[in-house]
Amino acid sequence: YETALANKIISEADVAVAEKSITEYLEGTFKEEEATIQKEIFDAEQALRAAKLKYESATRLAAKGMVRDLQLESEQYSVESARKELELKTTRLESLRKYTKVKKLQELESTLDAAKARLAADESSLALEKQRLEREKQQLENCKIEAPGEGIVIFPSAAAWKETPDIEEGAIVREQQTLLMIPDLNKMQVKLGIHESKVDRLNLGMIAKVQLQGFDLEGEVEDIAEVTRPAGWWTGNLVKYDTIIRLPVHPGLKPGMSAIVDVVLAAHEDVLTLPVAAILETPDGFMCWVKPEVGKPEKRLIEVGDTNDEFTIVTSGLAEGEEVVLNPLAFIDEAQVQAIKMRRTEGGSTSTEGEVAEDEAVTQGNSAGAMTGNKQASGGDKKPAAKASVGQMIITAADKNGDGFLTEDEVPEKDRAGFPDSDSNGDGKLSAQEIDAAIEAAKAAAGQ
């Protein structure tokens, strides 16, 4: 800034000098040169007049024979020389007025224009440097961060795969980076993810029961995200929407605490319920197998209502007190056939008669409506097969080389950021157990 100020002062002086130079030339130097030449012209006119008088006198004397011809010629030469000297002086005066003055003025005015241009540039540079100086002064003031009030200071911890450094002395930070947070303990909330199958049933103001460490609170739904959070293999590709539950003021609430949240979507009283494991979804609708007093279990088409993933409301098709098979897929062949039909309906696949017979021998797990790929065990015994874990299903879908593991290049590019953390043994491959452990860790971190 000081350098720019000095340059501006020098440019101002140059402009002033250039302006004075024009005045000096017009009122001083030019007039002096003009007067000098005019004096020389006057002297030349006097010399010419004297020469002419001498020549005329010599001519009269020559007529009387008193002056030789050579002397007369000398006087005549003096007249011509005086005349040439007068013409030269007159030409110099004319040249000074018509050409030298104009050329000199153009030079001086060009110097003035250049000085003014440099002054304008230096003024702009000074203004810019002044703005920079003021900004730097403000930045210097901004280096001191003052808390708006009392409270707990929270440092945001950087994830291992991100480039954001921890807040420490000497760390390089970027613009708009969160350096610290001071939570308002009078405005506490819980953020949780609501599955896509339930989010449409949520409404603002719904009551939520929140269980925290050592006490329970009752909150309400305050905000529901319009856009889902990113899903990946580490979350089991679950699609969830962030939902904010506002909590009342309560002593002991602290940021970062985990919570169990129950949002009441609906309340039912005096309704008929059935365990979800007893219900099978088929192409014809929902079915269960009712055990009569005598004979084999019979299938029954039922209509269902709300469910809480443990019990489902039965609106028609059953009566209170009837006995049903809890896990029909494990014990009833007809249930397995219905499940195979449902799988074909959903997948749109076709098969030959031999393939149908083989599919009918497929054994089932304990989850209603879930199919596995295990064929009938040897000896004709039908045993419930273990349900494949999320990690096994992910490997089955993404394992390109068929080695039963996932390498980093087999993982979708958008999900590779968490690969090093999930590879617990550091062998460069993910097993089904490692994927399941990563998913559980992500769920735990999300407070689920």
Side-chain angles (χ1 to χ4, degrees), residues 295-358:
K296 297 181 179 180
E298 301 175 352
K299 69 178 180 180
R300 183 82 59 84
L301 188 64
I302 61 175
E303 294 183 3
V304 299
D306 271 348
T307 179
N308 62 0
D309 297 333
E310 295 181 7
F311 293 91
T312 300
I313 296 176
V314 180
T315 58
S316 65
L318 277 182
E320 183 178 358
E322 288 188 291
E323 186 176 356
V324 299
V325 178
L326 183 62
N327 187 9
L329 286 174
F331 306 104
I332 299 176
D333 292 342
E334 187 179 8
Q336 297 179 8
V337 174
Q338 292 292 337
I340 292 173
K341 290 181 180 179
M342 185 65 184
R343 184 177 65 176
R344 287 204 190 94
T345 301
E346 293 177 347
S349 61
T350 60
S351 61
T352 63
E353 182 177 354
E355 290 174 335
V356 172
E358 186 179 40

Side-chain angles (χ1 to χ4, degrees), residues 187-199:
K187 298 179 181 180
M188 298 296 285
Q189 64 187 24
V190 178
K191 183 171 73 172
L192 68 154
I194 300 296
H195 194 270
E196 59 181 335
S197 62
K198 302 291 193 299
V199 71

Side-chain angles (χ1 to χ4, degrees), residues 10-21:
I10 294 174
S11 296
E12 288 176 340
D14 291 342
V15 171
V17 169
E19 291 174 342
K20 292 297 182 181
S21 296

Side-chain angles (χ1 to χ4, degrees), residues 108-413:
L108 294 176
E109 288 173 354
S110 297
T111 303
L112 176 60
D113 292 340
K116 288 181 177 180
R118 285 194 297 270
L119 176 60
D122 289 337
E123 287 176 342
S124 299
S125 178
L126 178 62
L128 179 62
E129 294 299 335
K130 185 176 181 179
Q131 292 178 358
R132 292 180 57 189
L133 177 61
E134 295 299 328
R135 185 175 69 248
E136 296 300 331
K137 288 181 178 179
Q138 185 62 42
Q139 292 291 342
L140 185 60
E141 292 294 328
N142 293 340
C143 287
K144 182 179 180 180
I145 302 175
E146 296 183 357
E150 297 179 345
I152 302 173
V153 174
I154 299 177
F155 291 93
S157 58
W161 59 83
K162 293 183 179 179
E163 297 180 356
T164 304
D166 289 331
I167 304 304
E168 59 184 5
E169 184 177 0
I172 297 177
V173 296
R174 56 174 173 80
E175 187 176 2
Q176 300 298 328
Q177 178 181 340
T178 300
L179 301 181
L180 53 87
M181 297 176 288
I182 304 178
D184 186 354
L185 300 183
N186 293 322
K187 298 179 181 180
M188 298 296 285
Q189 64 187 24
V190 178
K191 183 171 73 172
L192 68 154
I194 300 296
H195 194 270
E196 59 181 335
S197 62
K198 302 291 193 299
V199 71
D200 288 339
R201 300 187 61 181
L202 278 183
N203 292 307
L204 299 181
M206 279 186 168
I207 300 300
K209 298 177 181 179
V210 183
Q211 179 182 348
L212 295 107
Q213 188 70 27
F215 55 92
D216 297 336
L217 296 175
E218 186 176 277
E220 66 177 33
V221 178
E222 185 180 63
D223 183 67
I224 305 170
E226 296 290 339
V227 181
T228 179
R229 68 169 66 167
W233 59 267
W234 60 88
T235 62
N237 289 315
L238 294 177
V239 177
K240 294 189 175 184
Y241 290 79
D242 287 338
T243 302
I244 301 300
I245 307 297
R246 175 65 62 186
L247 297 179
V249 178
H250 190 278
L253 278 179
K254 296 180 180 178
M257 296 179 70
S258 59
I260 299 175
V261 181
D262 291 326
V263 181
V264 181
L265 299 180
H268 301 276
E269 295 181 0
D270 297 329
V271 293
L272 184 66
T273 62
L274 193 63
V276 293
I279 303 173
L280 180 66
E281 185 179 5
T282 71
D284 298 326
F286 292 93
M287 292 184 179
C288 68
W289 273 257
V290 181
K291 185 177 181 182
E293 294 181 359
V294 179
K296 297 181 179 180
E298 301 175 352
K299 69 178 180 180
R300 183 82 59 84
L301 188 64
I302 61 175
E303 294 183 3
V304 299
D306 271 348
T307 179
N308 62 0
D309 297 333
E310 295 181 7
F311 293 91
T312 300
I313 296 176
V314 180
T315 58
S316 65
L318 277 182
E320 183 178 358
E322 288 188 291
E323 186 176 356
V324 299
V325 178
L326 183 62
N327 187 9
L329 286 174
F331 306 104
I332 299 176
D333 292 342
E334 187 179 8
Q336 297 179 8
V337 174
Q338 292 292 337
I340 292 173
K341 290 181 180 179
M342 185 65 184
R343 184 177 65 176
R344 287 204 190 94
T345 301
E346 293 177 347
S349 61
T350 60
S351 61
T352 63
E353 182 177 354
E355 290 174 335
V356 172
E358 186 179 40
D359 285 342
E360 290 176 353
V362 174
T363 57
Q364 308 302 322
N366 294 327
S367 296
M371 296 294 299
T372 68
N374 298 326
K375 297 184 180 180
Q376 181 178 355
S378 60
D381 295 333
K382 295 180 180 179
K383 299 181 180 179
K387 182 182 178 182
S389 69
V390 175
Q392 291 171 338
M393 290 189 288
I394 292 175
I395 289 180
T396 301
D399 185 15
K400 299 178 182 178
N401 56 14
D403 62 350
F405 297 90
L406 288 186
T407 57
E408 188 169 357
D409 60 336
E410 292 175 327
V411 175
E413 186 174 356

